[in-house]
Amino acid sequence: MPEDDPAVPRWRRRKEERPREIVDAALTVFGERGFAAARLEDVAAQAGVSKGTLYLYFPNKEELFKAVVREAILPNLDMAERLLAGAQGPSFAVLETLLTLFATRILKSRAGAIPKLIIAEAGNFPDLARFYYEEVIRRAFALLAAVLERGMARGEFRPVDVDSTVRLIVAPMLMSALWRSSFEALEGRPPDVAALLAAHLDALRRTLAPEGGPPS
Amino acid sequence: MPEDDPAVPRWRRRKEERPREIVDAALTVFGERGFAAARLEDVAAQAGVSKGTLYLYFPNKEELFKAVVREAILPNLDMAERLLAGAQGPSFAVLETLLTLFATRILKSRAGAIPKLIIAEAGNFPDLARFYYEEVIRRAFALLAAVLERGMARGEFRPVDVDSTVRLIVAPMLMSALWRSSFEALEGRPPDVAALLAAHLDALRRTLAPEGGPPS
Amino acid sequence: MPEDDPAVPRWRRRKEERPREIVDAALTVFGERGFAAARLEDVAAQAGVSKGTLYLYFPNKEELFKAVVREAILPNLDMAERLLAGAQGPSFAVLETLLTLFATRILKSRAGAIPKLIIAEAGNFPDLARFYYEEVIRRAFALLAAVLERGMARGEFRPVDVDSTVRLIVAPMLMSALWRSSFEALEGRPPDVAALLAAHLDALRRTLAPEGGPPS
Amino acid sequence: MPEDDPAVPRWRRRKEERPREIVDAALTVFGERGFAAARLEDVAAQAGVSKGTLYLYFPNKEELFKAVVREAILPNLDMAERLLAGAQGPSFAVLETLLTLFATRILKSRAGAIPKLIIAEAGNFPDLARFYYEEVIRRAFALLAAVLERGMARGEFRPVDVDSTVRLIVAPMLMSALWRSSFEALEGRPPDVAALLAAHLDALRRTLAPEGGPPS
DNA sequence: CATGAATGAGTATTCATTCAT
DNA sequence: GATGAATGAATACTCATTCAT
């Protein structure tokens, strides 16, 4: 049993992984109940530690939530930004990749619950809202704006109002995430995200196409 | 001490107006704090009555919330359905009217807070979610689906996946409502709903246009 | 319709009977729920009047309860006292008559709920307890003591400790009343009060018999 | 300000003793006020803990009450059943011992308040009534019935209606308990339980005696 | 007289946070 | 470090009583 290997004592490894385990448990519990209704006792139980231990790593519930957002969303944003930075091909392909990534990686993971969390609690926890706005939304919007600018500069896209178009691009994805959190349990069949994504990409292709021909 | 002034009665009978006043106050308070975090004491204060009075008209917090939804949303849905039923002209004009109505009547009124309320509380109050799903979402989706079917039947729209397209139509409007509830306070300028609506209608026009020519 | 007879206007008759109707309704409701848990709104509804009307006839809930006791118990006590005063025959027959009266008139009527009411609320409403103790218990005990004294004086009963024996006489009747209020709903069959009364009278006969022969 | 004195900790861990302390405090407070009127805040204060601590050990008020009954009554019932099981001598002596135990152990302890509690709350808390009926009354009645059957089988008692006689045996003891809860405060002298018990045993002896001679 | 709309004090329960162990 | 027992603030709902009509 490798746990007994004195060179890599188990408790040592655990101590260093505790924060991640707690954040992971918190994502699960926050996703199920929402921030306000989530009980730290449940988070602790889910993480396999005691309530008091949470406070050794996070000063309070709000900071724990911020850590959840950081851990679950920011790596994906980083990846998306690297993807754009290294993009060689047509801009619509970049857009397609980004939206597909969102639909497959975020929406299907437990991180898909985060938008709902933010929407729900922004009013009562302005700090949370500001944090998310600065760290996530601004960056995500800037990223999409950059794709649009690139496409327009390369003549792949017709000229559009960037700010509005960014919102048009994001909205169906956001709606899918919220839908999952709120109504999926009520419906027999889960909504067909793939169909929505296809329809959305089709609509975007037509919308962004320069007058002469298709963008991609 | 003015409390003893007999010319200023402690309260007045307002059996007829009270329910509306309470629902109105509830919309305000629910909109600010969310359903769970809203204190009925605040609703009462906002309505200018005592806590007990709320219970003369509504059996509990949840029913009060349903009344808010009924009063704030259903009349608009009724109007939208009548609008479609009486429509003579091109289908895209119907769509345009419906979206414009939403953007101008709901989004700018305090009823714009309701989508956020539902999203936020659906997980913890399944009854509320079901109520809203049955009474609002289903009807609104059916309405938009009917417009799409009408347009396709009349050759004004190219054939599309109705369910996905309904979601594409709704998403930016929903996002605007949520944005207002969650982030408007953080930004200097309010988001330009008119610009978003224009861009959205433009995108829809291109998306729904039959291969030959423009739909409207 | 005699109600229209101007000589005996209906509302006039009702006005005079209102207090009795209210007391009657109160007995029903107090009997079902207990004093503290009874809602004056229910009393009013049962009496066919409005809540406010109760306060035209009784200053508060406690006084209404006292009126209930007065109306439901005191007439029976009066009757019992007259019965003893006019008694000619053997003392055991008097005892038998009194207990039978209790078992048939009080226990089976709604007044049978009153002992439970008093027991339940004595701690929280000392005024009520004192009132009942002075107006009912003292008199009832004195009455039974008088029967015992009469029997001993006439040589029908052996000498007994009067105070203890009065309690022995009362206890099974009281227990029947309490049982009905508390556990009758839980058992399939109602307790056989007639059998209990017969056994009780048999026991009393043996207990009170002078050493020589039977008392009656 | 002593609150800041580090030598006086705000609380101490007492995981083992706490439940008993709380049950004990609850018996006191329930006994004084009744179940419904008792405030958990008072129970907590009486036990020297905070309100929240009650919920660490009991899920709600009703379960706390059941725990009180279990702790205060059931051990006595156990003892009584063992006593009958091991009885060698005459049946009347068993009866005498049981009643004397009740009069001295239960009636004088704070557990004597429980019958009143049950009587008072049975109507509004049917769960409580059922619990008490099943766990206490049924067992106590069965126990006394067994004593009677034993006495009749051994020819010590004349044949009697067992059910009624059990009630006759219990009634004066029950009445004593109720009296203490309800009227003792009103009288100068406490009722002479010893005299009542003596008179009751005397009456039972005469009542149960076979036609030929005394039972014991 | 009668009504019933309005009042507001009172309480069981939950859970983030603290801190004795 | 880790635990989990203990704290106490916060809030929906009820109902006796009042009083405008």
Side-chain angles (χ1 to χ4, degrees), chain B residues 14 18 50-53 57:
Chain B
R14 310 199 57 195
R18 278 281 143 78
S50 72
K51 260 181 306 173
T53 300
Y57 297 98

Side-chain angles (χ1 to χ4, degrees), chain B residues 165-176:
Chain B
T165 306
V166 164
R167 284 174 147 79
L168 291 183
I169 294 170
V170 167
M173 296 295 102
L174 176 64
M175 184 172 161
S176 290

Side-chain angles (χ1 to χ4, degrees), chain C residues 15 18 50-53 57:
Chain C
K15 191 172 81 175
R18 274 280 152 80
S50 73
K51 255 186 307 176
T53 302
Y57 295 99

Side-chain angles (χ1 to χ4, degrees), chain A residues 12-77:
Chain A
R12 187 137 192 79
R13 206 199 62 216
R14 296 216 86 182
K15 191 171 81 176
E16 279 155 13
E17 295 199 352
R18 274 280 153 78
R20 191 190 317 277
E21 291 170 357
I22 292 172
V23 163
D24 205 54
L27 172 53
T28 299
V29 177
F30 286 156
E32 284 166 358
R33 318 280 306 258
F35 175 75
R39 298 164 47 200
L40 288 189
E41 185 148 17
D42 291 343
V43 173
Q46 174 84 16
V49 299
S50 73
K51 254 186 307 177
T53 301
L54 301 184
Y55 285 86
L56 295 176
Y57 295 99
F58 303 96
N60 55 44
K61 200 181 183 184
E62 206 163 323
E63 288 302 321
L64 173 57
F65 183 70
K66 288 186 187 171
V68 166
V69 172
R70 261 189 287 265
E71 194 119 338
I73 298 284
L74 298 191
N76 291 294
L77 257 183

Side-chain angles (χ1 to χ4, degrees), chain D residues 32-45:
Chain D
E32 283 167 358
R33 316 280 306 259
F35 175 75
R39 295 165 46 201
L40 287 188
E41 186 150 15
D42 291 343
V43 173

Side-chain angles (χ1 to χ4, degrees), chain A residues 178-187, chain B residues 118-119 129 132-133 137:
Chain A
L178 299 178
W179 191 271
R180 225 183 112 231
S181 298
S182 301
F183 301 114
E184 188 162 324
L186 298 183
E187 293 187 304
Chain B
I118 298 293
I119 298 286
Y132 192 78
Y133 182 73
I137 293 180

